[in-house]
Amino acid sequence: MNVGKDTLVALDNAGLSISNKWLVREVTMSVSAGEIVTLIGPNGSGKSTTAKMALGIMAPSEGSVHRQENARVSYVPQRLSIDWTMPLKVNRFISLTRFLGKKEIKKVLSMTKTEHLYDAEVRTLSGGEFQRVLLARAIACSPQFLVLDEPVQGVDFNGEIALYKLIEKIRNELNCGIILISHDLHVV
C-alpha cells in the first residue's frame, strides 16, 4: 500500500484473531487529512475492532497498520460508562484528562453548539446534548485524526442530521481525518 504524506493511518490487509477466531480480516483502507471514511455494517461485523487497530489500541494479527508519527488523535467510544449519580459539570468533564482553561472549554463547546451547557450537570443532558459534549471533549486537543464510534447513538432523527452536519463542519475547520462508524445505512 502506498502511504502518502497526508495519510494519517493506513491498514493493509489487516486482521485480528483472538482465541483462534477472526474478529475482522483482510481490511485495507486509509484515512488522510480532511477525509471522512465511514465504516458501515451490522453490529458485530468488526467496525469497532477495525477502528481500534487504526488507533493502535489493538495490534493486528495479520497485515500491517501505519500511523502518522506524533499525530494528535481523539476517540469517542461507542459506550461510555459514567456513574450518573456523580455530580459532574460539563466544564469539568471536558477537562478531565487534559487541563483546559475556561476560554478553551467555551471555544470547543461553541464549536458543538453546547456553550450554554458549560455549567450544566452531565447527568441532566439529553442524548443529543451528551453526544455533542463528547464531541467537544474529543476536539479539545485539535485532533488530526478523530474516530467516532456510533456518534449518533441515543439521538433522535433530527438530532442525527444535525450531528452529521456538525461532524462535517469540524472536519472542515480542523482539516482532520475521521473514521465514522455506524450501523445505519442511511448515513451513506
Side-chain angles (χ1 to χ4, degrees):
M1 170 177 265
N2 188 13
V3 179
K5 67 179 178 88
D6 287 339
T7 303
L8 297 164
V9 65
L11 282 72
D12 188 17
N13 222 18
L16 182 65
S17 173
I18 296 179
S19 301
N20 294 322
K21 180 183 177 208
W22 288 100
L23 303 180
V24 66
R25 200 150 194 212
E26 298 178 2
V27 176
T28 299
M29 63 173 257
S30 66
V31 181
S32 297
E35 181 177 33
I36 297 176
V37 173
T38 305
L39 302 180
I40 296 178
N43 291 332
S45 63
K47 302 177 304 289
S48 297
T49 301
T50 299
K52 288 176 183 176
M53 285 192 300
L55 287 164
I57 295 170
M58 301 176 101
S61 305
E62 70 178 7
S64 64
V65 177
H66 166 81
R67 280 179 294 285
Q68 189 179 85
E69 201 171 316
N70 300 319
R72 289 181 311 281
V73 177
S74 280
Y75 173 52
V76 176
Q78 185 174 359
R79 287 179 200 79
L80 186 63
S81 296
I82 293 180
D83 181 350
W84 293 106
T85 63
M86 181 173 62
L88 179 64
K89 291 189 182 242
V90 166
N91 60 65
R92 180 69 180 114
F93 177 70
I94 295 289
S95 61
L96 274 175
T97 55
R98 179 176 178 252
F99 175 78
L100 296 169
K102 185 175 184 175
K103 186 177 178 180
E104 293 170 298
I105 294 170
K106 286 199 172 211
K107 179 183 175 191
V108 295
L109 288 174
S110 175
M111 287 177 74
T112 60
K113 296 180 174 38
T114 54
E115 187 175 1
H116 64 286
L117 299 172
Y118 181 86
D119 283 317
E121 292 284 337
V122 172
R123 65 180 171 217
T124 66
L125 302 179
S126 70
E129 289 172 334
F130 184 64
Q131 289 303 118
R132 286 174 175 269
V133 167
L134 281 175
L135 192 52
R137 187 171 187 272
I139 63 174
C141 72
S142 298
Q144 294 164 293
F145 179 47
L146 178 60
V147 175
L148 305 171
D149 195 347
E150 301 278 359
V152 297
Q153 191 171 357
V155 179
D156 64 23
F157 182 72
N158 290 332
E160 284 184 25
I161 293 168
L163 262 171
Y164 288 131
K165 287 180 180 178
L166 176 60
I167 290 165
E168 183 178 22
K169 181 180 177 219
I170 287 168
R171 182 266 319 255
N172 293 339
E173 286 184 21
L174 298 179
N175 193 37
C176 61
I178 297 174
I179 290 180
L180 176 64
I181 299 171
S182 178
H183 65 270
D184 296 326
L185 285 176
H186 75 272
V187 172
V188 178

